[in-house]
């Protein structure tokens, strides 16, 4: 107390209470700034992060919904599993029409990772003159049905001078169905 009383008697003595008052106000301001401003800024950052995450989830949801609608459109265009055997028969008939021998076309379905969709595979050998084989391949590639040639291999024959060629062909397609894999004949 003596020290304070001595300081108040000095020529700058009347300023001591004002300096103490300003220091007190500064401490109060720093405390409030830290408590109110910094915590509000942290809360604002947390809310911005939550908003950004929610916005990202909303965009993902909208994209997933669009993809689901697109998938439903594609599934509606695909033949059903019960149409797979007639498709194989149609390819055989097309081969006959083009003058190509397609003695045995085996078919089977396989599971796919997509629900309500299976993959159909047709395999066999085909023989005929080059022009007729080329016409059949063109007809398959431009068919209304979604069929694609996965593999086409020329089978070597002992007779090099023959006008007839033999190919092993593998044709794939996708089918609307329950996803169960079944084997055909």
């Amino acid at each position: 107390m003596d020290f304070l009383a001595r300081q108040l008697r000095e020529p700058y003595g009347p300023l001591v209470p004002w300096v103490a008052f300003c220091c007190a106000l500064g401490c109060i301001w720093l405390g409030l700034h830290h408590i109110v401003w910094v915590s509000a800024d942290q809360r604002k950052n947390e809310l911005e992060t939550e908003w950004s995450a929610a916005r990202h989830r909303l965009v993902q949801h909208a994209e997933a919904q669009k993809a689901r609608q697109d998938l439903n459109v594609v599934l509606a265009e695909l033949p059903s599993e019960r149409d797979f055997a007639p498709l194989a028969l149609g390819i055989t008939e097309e081969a006959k029409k083009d003058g190509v021998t397609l003695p045995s076309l085996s078919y089977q379905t396989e599971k796919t990772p997509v629900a309500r969709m299976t993959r159909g595979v047709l395999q066999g050998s085909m023989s005929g003159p080059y022009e007729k084989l080329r016409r059949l391949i063109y007809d398959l590639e431009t068919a209304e049905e979604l069929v694609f040639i996965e593999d086409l291999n020329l089978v070597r024959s002992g007779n090099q001078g023959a006008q007839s060629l033999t190919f092993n062909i593998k044709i794939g397609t996708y089918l609307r169905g329950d996803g169960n894999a079944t084997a055909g004949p």
Side-chain angles (χ1 to χ4, degrees), residues 7 15 32 36 47 55 67 89 99 101 111 123 126 130 143 158:
Q7 292 297 323
L15 295 176
L32 287 175
V36 175
L47 289 174
R55 182 106 173 129
L89 184 61
T101 305
K111 290 182 181 181
Q123 295 185 62
M126 59 183 190
Y130 172 77

Side-chain angles (χ1 to χ4, degrees), residues 11-185:
Y12 56 83
L15 295 176
V16 170
W18 289 106
V19 171
F21 179 70
C22 287
C23 286
L25 280 179
C27 289
I28 291 171
W29 180 81
L30 283 174
L32 287 175
H33 174 73
H34 183 66
I35 292 170
V36 175
W37 182 259
V38 172
S39 65
D41 194 42
Q42 288 174 346
R43 180 69 179 139
K44 181 189 88 141
N45 289 339
E46 290 171 3
L47 289 174
E48 284 178 349
T49 303
E50 289 176 18
W51 178 80
S52 177
R55 182 106 173 129
H56 183 68
R57 284 191 307 271
L58 179 65
V59 168
Q60 283 180 330
H61 178 70
E63 289 174 353
Q65 194 171 21
K66 173 92 171 87
R68 191 176 304 118
Q69 290 171 348
D70 292 346
L71 181 62
N72 286 337
V73 168
V74 169
L75 283 173
E77 294 295 321
L78 293 177
S80 67
E81 283 186 354
R82 67 177 178 269
D83 296 332
F84 187 46
L87 177 67
L89 184 61
I91 290 174
T92 304
E93 292 298 319
E94 186 70 27
K96 284 181 187 175
K97 183 180 88 171
D98 288 339
V100 174
T101 305
L102 193 62
S104 64
L105 191 63
S106 66
Y107 62 94
Q108 65 183 19
T109 58
E110 303 169 349
K111 290 182 181 181
T112 64
V114 178
R116 300 179 312 170
M117 185 184 292
T118 57
R119 182 174 168 272
V121 179
L122 302 154
Q123 295 185 62
S125 63
M126 59 183 190
S127 300
Y130 172 77
E131 294 81 19
K132 293 180 179 185
L133 290 169
R134 191 182 75 159
R135 187 177 319 123
L136 175 64
I137 292 170
Y138 176 78
D139 289 345
L140 289 174
E141 290 179 340
T142 58
E144 287 183 19
E145 296 85 5
L146 175 67
V147 294
F148 48 96
I149 299 173
E150 291 182 3
D151 196 16
L152 184 66
N153 294 320
L154 177 63
V155 178
R156 290 201 176 262
S157 65
N159 187 358
Q160 295 293 332
Q163 293 294 323
S164 181
L165 299 173
T166 301
F167 284 96
N168 287 331
I169 189 168
K170 183 176 181 182
I171 304 168
T173 188
Y174 287 96
L175 308 164
R176 207 178 44 231
D178 59 6
N180 294 335
T182 58

